[in-house]
Amino acid sequence: MLALAGFGATAFGISPLAPDAADLPSRIVTENVTPEGIASQLEALAANELELYRNDLTRASDTADSLLLRLNVQDPRASAFLRSDAVAKKLLSGRAGKMVQVRTDASGELDELVARYAAESPDQFGTHFTRLRISRLDGQFQAKVETAPLSAQVRLGSGTVRNSLFAATDEAHIPDPVATQLAEIFATDIDFHRELRRGDSFRLIYEALTADGEPITWNQASGKVLAAEFVNNGKTYSAVWFKDPTQPGKGYFDMNGQSKRRSFLASPLEFSRVTSGFAMRFHPILQTWKQHNGVDYGAPSGTPVRTVGDGMVDFAGWQNGYGNVISIKHSNNRSTVYAHLSRIEERKGQHVDQGTRIGAVGATGWATGPHLHFEVKLNGQQQNPLTIAKASETLAIAPTAKAQFAQMAQGVRAQLDAAQTITGSSMYAE
């Protein structure tokens, strides 16, 4: 286990109060030890009751019999109880994916079953979990349900990209939501759709939500990324989660104290597959080569579309081949276009903040399938969206908070160095 280092350390010197061990006399003692016979050892083991523990997740196709069979529980009475008791039936009702642990005796009879799953109240979904406990007491089964708080544990992880970002995070046992956060954090530094390279690497510190010490399998299974470093094509980018005590809000900053949040996001969708880049392309409908001054994001219909920056809706409606389209004016003679939408959620003249949901992916107009066509314009001329995002305005930590940030960043560097030692996996830091 690794200890999560603090952000400072103090050394103390203490004068020895006892004699130096090197000055004390020493001697070697040799003694023959005869172990007990195998028979007596087996008798001692037989005197102890054997308990077996097994874990699994419920499946949508599970019945009481199939679940217990998969857990090697040989107990018809337990199976009947799961089918008949009103509380025990919760185990197989609702969504699949409940975390189940059983404790059995040597013959396979059930002593206890504990299932952990999402809190039943939507208000507690991100903070608590449900614990269903089925126990055998005096030969009879009892079931009860209780709600308990989730815990957050800090985890370290690192990996190397060979095929894709998600393949690398899967290999490192890092949850998909954390991989998505990683891509969002560095979205204005790296075009993960076109600039990711074989051999790129990452290391990070993140929160894992746990139920009774076990990482949960619902609610995205993780909290936020606390710090990260990404090496892309030989260049290193860093990010640290920091709350500036002198300013409202909080966010990610690089190791120099420069905010990772810019006035323009690089993408109108959360990390998604790009079907066409900012380059020449063969137009799928016109069947001719045509300059494609934008980016097409392939995504299912209904995927939320967000505005990449603060601005005013300049147009919202139908526009020939673009289908349903929204155009937004931003500061410094910049504008953005979002086309082929399945629906429009803003109207002309409305002010929108960065990240506001303005519509959803669709296939309206001249579209061969569900996708979002996105354009960024400067003085009316189409531009590479990533270039505009990288050049957009950013913030720096206030001078009064720089010392605090520098001290914290120093501790984070040590933790990221520790994460590097566990490439291809992840582990908890306590």
Side-chain angles (χ1 to χ4, degrees):
M1 305 295 284
L2 296 176
L4 185 63
F7 299 135
T10 306
F12 296 90
I14 301 177
S15 300
L17 301 179
D20 191 334
D23 298 332
L24 297 176
S26 60
R27 61 176 179 168
I28 298 175
V29 177
T30 302
E31 182 179 355
N32 293 324
V33 177
T34 303
E36 295 185 15
I38 297 297
S40 59
Q41 292 185 51
L42 292 175
E43 289 178 3
L45 288 173
N48 295 308
E49 293 186 4
L50 183 64
E51 292 184 337
L52 301 174
Y53 291 84
R54 295 182 180 87
N55 298 272
D56 208 331
L57 300 177
T58 61
R59 303 171 184 173
S61 59
D62 268 336
T63 63
D65 291 330
S66 67
L67 176 62
L68 294 182
L69 180 63
R70 198 164 65 250
L71 291 164
N72 289 332
V73 177
Q74 308 294 328
D75 195 332
R77 291 182 59 192
S79 180
F81 184 77
L82 293 182
R83 291 193 298 268
S84 61
D85 185 81
V87 177
K89 284 182 178 179
K90 291 178 178 288
L91 176 64
L92 296 176
S93 65
R95 291 186 176 183
K98 295 181 177 69
M99 301 161 52
V100 182
Q101 181 185 71
V102 296
R103 173 168 55 87
T104 66
D105 61 18
S107 65
E109 288 194 342
L110 181 67
D111 289 330
E112 184 179 63
L113 180 152
V114 180
R116 303 173 179 90
Y117 50 98
E120 296 178 352
S121 170
D123 295 337
Q124 294 181 314
F125 194 71
T127 58
H128 291 71
F129 71 97
T130 300
R131 184 192 297 118
L132 168 62
R133 188 185 302 274
I134 299 172
S135 306
R136 187 193 296 270
L137 183 63
D138 297 329
Q140 301 296 320
F141 286 110
Q142 297 180 350
K144 67 176 181 177
V145 173
E146 53 193 348
T147 301
L150 291 167
S151 299
Q153 291 183 338
V154 174
R155 260 195 138 173
L156 310 179
S158 65
T160 301
V161 176
R162 295 183 177 86
N163 298 306
S164 70
L165 176 61
F166 282 100
T169 53
D170 285 346
E171 185 180 359
H173 307 293
I174 293 171
D176 281 355
V178 173
T180 301
Q181 285 186 58
L182 194 65
E184 287 286 316
I185 291 168
F186 295 111
T188 52
D189 297 317
I190 307 165
D191 184 344
F192 281 89
H193 309 287
R194 294 183 295 173
E195 296 182 349
L196 202 61
R197 299 287 185 269
R198 181 185 296 272
D200 286 355
S201 62
F202 59 86
R203 45 187 176 174
L204 71 163
I205 308 168
Y206 65 97
E207 291 176 332
L209 299 179
T210 63
D212 294 335
E214 294 293 326
I216 65 174
T217 56
W218 66 92
N219 193 30
Q220 303 196 22
S222 61
K224 61 178 170 288
V225 172
L226 301 177
E229 185 176 86
F230 206 104
V231 180
N232 170 242
N233 201 23
K235 186 173 182 179
T236 301
Y237 302 93
S238 60
V240 180
W241 177 261
F242 179 68
K243 171 69 172 69
D244 188 338
T246 65
Q247 297 180 3
K250 48 196 171 184
Y252 291 98
F253 297 80
D254 64 21
M255 290 296 183
N256 296 318
Q258 201 73 17
S259 175
K260 304 296 290 186
R261 183 183 184 275
R262 296 180 181 270
S263 60
F264 258 52
L265 298 173
S267 169
L269 302 180
E270 292 188 358
F271 187 44
S272 178
R273 178 174 58 91
V274 175
T275 55
S276 297
F278 184 80
M280 294 293 292
R281 71 162 184 171
F282 189 74
H283 197 282
I285 292 180
L286 300 180
Q287 297 295 299
T288 60
W289 286 101
K290 181 180 179 181
Q291 178 68 25
H292 186 231
N293 294 323
V295 177
D296 284 352
Y297 292 85
S301 290
T303 301
V305 175
R306 61 187 180 182
T307 177
V308 297
D310 300 346
M312 187 76 67
V313 177
D314 183 48
F315 180 87
W318 186 272
Q319 196 176 86
N320 299 324
Y322 275 180
N324 286 326
V325 61
I326 290 181
S327 176
I328 298 175
K329 281 188 175 181
H330 306 276
S331 61
N332 299 325
N333 298 315
R334 295 169 298 191
S335 63
T336 51
V337 176
Y338 311 78
H340 305 307
L341 302 172
S342 60
R343 62 177 178 271
I344 293 174
E345 299 181 12
E346 301 293 336
R347 64 180 183 273
K348 183 177 179 178
Q350 280 190 308
H351 174 82
V352 290
D353 295 324
Q354 184 185 75
T356 298
R357 177 171 173 165
I358 59 174
V361 170
T364 57
W366 296 350
T368 56
H371 73 283
L372 173 73
H373 174 76
F374 174 59
E375 293 182 14
V376 175
K377 297 180 181 179
L378 178 63
N379 294 319
Q381 298 298 315
Q382 285 97 344
Q383 304 290 322
N384 185 335
L386 186 62
T387 300
I388 293 296
K390 287 183 176 181
S392 62
E393 303 83 1
T394 187
L395 301 173
I397 292 175
T400 53
K402 283 187 175 180
Q404 179 183 349
F405 177 81
Q407 186 179 20
M408 189 192 73
Q410 183 179 0
V412 165
R413 282 194 180 95
Q415 292 306 306
L416 290 174
D417 288 343
Q420 188 66 46
T421 65
I422 52 173
T423 300
S425 63
S426 65
M427 66 184 300
Y428 285 112
E430 294 184 344

